[in-house]
Amino acid sequence: MATNSEYRAAVLQMRCGADARENREKAAGLIRQAAAGGAQVICTQELFCSEYFCQREATENFDLAEEIPGPSTEMFGRLARELGVVIVISLFERRAAGLYHNTAAVLDADGSLLGIYRKMHIPDDPLFYEKYYFTPGDTGFKAFDTKFGRIGVLICWDQWFPEAARLTALCGANLLFYPTAIGWHPSEKAEFGAAQVDAWQTIQRSHAIANGVYVASANRIGHEGPADGGLEFFGSSFIADPFGRFLGKASVDKEEILTAVIDPRHLETVRRNWPFIRDRRTDAYGPILNRFNHDRSLTRHGVRQA
Amino acid sequence: MATNSEYRAAVLQMRCGADARENREKAAGLIRQAAAGGAQVICTQELFCSEYFCQREATENFDLAEEIPGPSTEMFGRLARELGVVIVISLFERRAAGLYHNTAAVLDADGSLLGIYRKMHIPDDPLFYEKYYFTPGDTGFKAFDTKFGRIGVLICWDQWFPEAARLTALCGANLLFYPTAIGWHPSEKAEFGAAQVDAWQTIQRSHAIANGVYVASANRIGHEGPADGGLEFFGSSFIADPFGRFLGKASVDKEEILTAVIDPRHLETVRRNWPFIRDRRTDAYGPILNRFNHDRSLTRHGVRQA
């Protein structure tokens, strides 16, 4: 059961290659290193077992998927037990023939599979063809009582949706992990690169602020794909406190381990001073369950809607 | 009816005194100046007709309230018509004996009262005793088709709630105004002042990012209250584009007019590149209508919830 004690969280930032075994070994090495440095709850970047295969749509890429429980949860479950740490891994899940998800597995410090979260929001943009691969999650938004603390896990595109952070925080999570694979289109980097990194950090820091929770985001680095195109993953992994302040920030291009102390008592102090959860107008949020609330096509043409 | 043309928006940042007539005249002067500079949709800071009276609970302060329509909507309606601009004013509304709201009135460019929004989220913290004065709004979240564009108005504390921004954007607003009165407790300024301004801007910039809308926030300046205490309003009014980038930022202590061009076509471009609205999981957001979703008191003691 989750305690009210502080603990040390870590996110891993690394480059991935084509060989799944090598990627897993590299992640395992970073986890050992993080644990040696005192980390107790450790999260990988998104889909760390492979390159980011969603740059193209190809049926053979489904061979990269694995079952849960399966090889990765077994390997990292053993590692979690050996080190006595909680490990969150991001996997390409094969649930059934023709049914695949982008899934995070939470392995408790005794090595057991505590539960999974299936990515709820699936993007689809040039070179991020995820709707082809991943069925939208059906787990809903969750929190997990690990040995060290109650944590939530959301995945990449989820980070742009305040509803996802809110719902996970309302489940009692005091830390939100975001395993991520986000990068620049090299042709856009000069003009929009800095603004994209800033927006990516800003929206996640805002989840920390709005919900009074810690946020820890793990992104990959490295260029993947054709030399004259592809994606350059921009790293910039970070951990923010419940007021959105950076506790640590990684580079755009180096393999790194970021760690920070997660203190439930500090979280309580922040929420007492900024009591947003007290004042939510749950009675008035009903229309948030709609797709949109201003359809000109459903109103009389020319009639002013106020 | 709202068009798809660009227009120029402005927010006013000023110091307020004890005399309502003087405060109104000062705001009117700034509005004239903004309009002379090309502004077409102009928003005041919160409760600009008075000092921020919520620093103490006193029945006589209810005398500051006015009806809507009333003196302020008449004065600023005339000004809107004269200048041909839209004006959003933030007022202490007397709705009935014993029923008061913190209300924004939207005056269209022909001087008519287009509608009102009543602050939905009411704070209550040391020196911000708003729950004493303001009944939580019952208008819900709205957008207004002004002559120049479809805008939303939210008020101060609302800015910390992603649900409020989301619901207003789902009503089709392309610009969210936030009239505000936020300041430092002088005793906290050295330690927390910079972080508070940063969090305040970050959460609002995140609403721009999450919703692909412009955000324009108008805060007051000046110290109010006892010399050895009171509040120092920190200004820092700003306008952000639909990717959260600052288009303009004001000082912490000077009277200023900030303006920026609001371009619905740019907003469309941003949303095509970052199509968050497309991917919202409206089927899975139901529990957001609850107060909290992890009550230990409602579960069997000691049973792990995952």
Side-chain angles (χ1 to χ4, degrees), chain A residues 8 23 26 64 68 75 86 96 99 106 113 122 125 195 210 258:
Chain A
R8 187 168 282 274
N23 293 325
K26 185 191 278 189
L64 297 168
I68 299 177
M75 170 178 168
V86 174
L99 181 58
V106 179
L113 176 60
I122 307 296
D125 299 292
L258 275 186

Side-chain angles (χ1 to χ4, degrees), chain A residues 121 163 166 198 205 285, chain B residues 121 163 166 198 205 285:
Chain A
H121 298 95
E163 293 92 342
R166 177 71 92 202
D198 184 61
R205 288 171 55 221
Y285 295 160
Chain B
H121 298 94
E163 293 91 343
R166 176 71 92 204
D198 184 62
R205 289 170 55 222
Y285 295 161

Side-chain angles (χ1 to χ4, degrees), chain A:
Chain A
M1 197 175 119
T3 71
N4 208 34
S5 309
E6 61 180 47
Y7 58 95
R8 187 168 282 274
V11 290
L12 311 181
Q13 170 172 307
M14 64 183 228
R15 191 182 316 272
C16 292
D19 187 298
R21 206 187 55 78
E22 281 176 22
N23 293 325
R24 288 196 190 101
E25 286 301 334
K26 185 191 278 189
L30 291 171
I31 288 167
R32 284 182 188 281
Q33 203 179 319
Q40 295 158 298
V41 182
I42 302 165
C43 180
T44 71
Q45 68 204 32
E46 188 183 16
L47 300 170
F48 70 101
C49 295
S50 65
E51 293 185 312
Y52 182 70
F53 54 85
C54 312
Q55 289 199 43
R56 58 191 192 96
E57 302 192 354
T59 50
E60 67 270 23
N61 280 342
F62 288 101
D63 291 338
L64 297 168
E66 59 179 293
E67 293 183 358
I68 299 177
S72 289
T73 55
E74 278 163 36
M75 170 178 168
F76 288 93
R78 274 196 307 273
L79 188 62
R81 188 173 60 243
E82 178 198 328
L83 300 173
V85 300
V86 174
I87 302 176
V88 179
I89 51 177
S90 164
L91 302 172
F92 183 17
E93 180 191 6
R94 182 187 182 280
R95 187 175 180 184
L99 181 58
Y100 302 82
H101 295 284
N102 187 325
T103 301
V106 179
L107 303 161
D108 211 349
D110 63 1
S112 64
L113 176 60
L114 190 50
I116 62 165
Y117 165 76
R118 295 190 174 115
K119 187 173 182 175
M120 293 288 286
H121 298 95
I122 307 296
D124 201 278
D125 299 292
L127 302 190
F128 294 87
Y129 301 113
E130 295 200 15
K131 288 193 196 296
Y132 175 74
Y133 291 104
F134 308 127
T135 297
D138 57 355
T139 52
F141 303 96
K142 305 175 62 171
F144 303 89
D145 266 330
T146 73
K147 176 176 177 188
F148 300 106
R150 190 166 172 85
I151 65 169
V153 184
L154 295 159
I155 303 173
C156 202
W157 196 237
D158 288 327
Q159 61 213 173
W160 301 98
F161 298 83
E163 293 92 342
R166 177 71 92 202
L167 282 160
T168 306
L170 292 181
C171 289
N174 51 29
L175 165 61
L176 308 183
F177 278 118
Y178 284 97
T180 298
I182 190 169
W184 294 305
H185 295 273
S187 64
E188 292 182 2
K189 182 180 171 183
E191 187 175 356
F192 300 112
Q196 288 170 355
V197 174
D198 184 61
W200 177 76
Q201 293 182 330
T202 298
I203 191 81
Q204 292 177 87
R205 288 171 55 221
S206 84
H207 303 326
I209 297 166
N211 297 291
V213 293
Y214 291 84
V215 166
S217 193
N219 190 24
R220 71 172 62 204
I221 55 164
H223 179 273
E224 298 180 19
D228 62 345
L231 292 170
E232 182 183 343
F233 295 93
F234 60 56
S236 306
S237 303
F238 68 92
I239 304 179
D241 81 359
F243 207 51
R245 283 173 293 205
F246 286 111
L247 297 175
K249 243 199 284 199
S251 65
V252 297
D253 57 1
K254 288 186 200 61
E255 301 201 329
E256 293 188 49
I257 297 166
L258 275 186
T259 79
V261 171
I262 307 303
D263 182 355
R265 286 159 303 191
H266 175 62
L267 182 153
E268 177 133 0
T269 299
V270 170
R271 288 191 187 175
R272 286 183 189 188
N273 282 284
W274 297 90
F276 308 135
I277 296 179
R278 178 190 66 187
D279 290 336
R280 295 178 65 238
R281 288 296 303 272
T282 53
D283 61 308
Y285 295 160
I288 212 165
L289 305 183
N290 299 335
R291 179 65 59 202
F292 200 64
N293 292 312
H294 179 60
D295 290 292
R296 272 171 256 234
S297 52
L298 300 177
T299 59
R300 271 171 74 114
H301 179 69
V303 171
R304 168 173 283 168
Q305 303 289 314

